[in-house]
Amino acid sequence: EEANASGAFIIKVWNDEYFAEHAKYLFTGRKIKNRQVEISHITNVDEIFPCNILYLGNVKDEHLAALLKVLDRKPILTIG
């Protein structure tokens, strides 16, 4: 579930395509801890893993409980 086969540092952006596109621009060619940065825009809880940082953009109330349940005790920095 949390394995990252590519070895990349993965940042996922929840439901904020504008932020995701800007983040992709800012991190193109950059590394974190000597790992290439990959950024993707997601809208489904099933798309969270693998992930190192999760930016919560526009979270609707009906998704919040599911997100918190999935993220419970996971080593993911959550921002939002």
Side-chain angles (χ1 to χ4, degrees):
E1 165 175 288
E2 297 171 44
N4 177 3
S6 71
F9 192 93
I10 299 176
I11 301 172
K12 302 278 178 98
V13 177
W14 177 272
N15 202 27
D16 191 337
E17 196 167 357
Y18 179 80
F19 183 87
E21 290 305 312
H22 277 72
K24 285 178 187 179
Y25 172 77
L26 291 172
F27 283 98
T28 297
R30 301 213 179 202
K31 292 185 177 185
I32 296 176
K33 292 191 169 193
N34 207 29
R35 296 160 63 189
Q36 198 66 39
V37 177
E38 290 181 8
I39 298 173
S40 59
H41 174 253
I42 63 171
T43 57
N44 189 309
V45 172
D46 297 333
E47 299 173 289
I48 292 174
F49 301 106
C51 180
N52 299 102
I53 297 176
L54 176 62
Y55 173 81
L56 298 175
N58 302 310
V59 180
K60 296 179 181 174
D61 290 340
E62 61 264 21
H63 292 127
L64 187 57
L67 280 168
L68 293 176
K69 184 177 180 180
V70 168
L71 295 170
D72 188 41
R73 301 190 199 287
K74 302 291 186 208
I76 297 172
L77 175 62
T78 306
I79 303 168

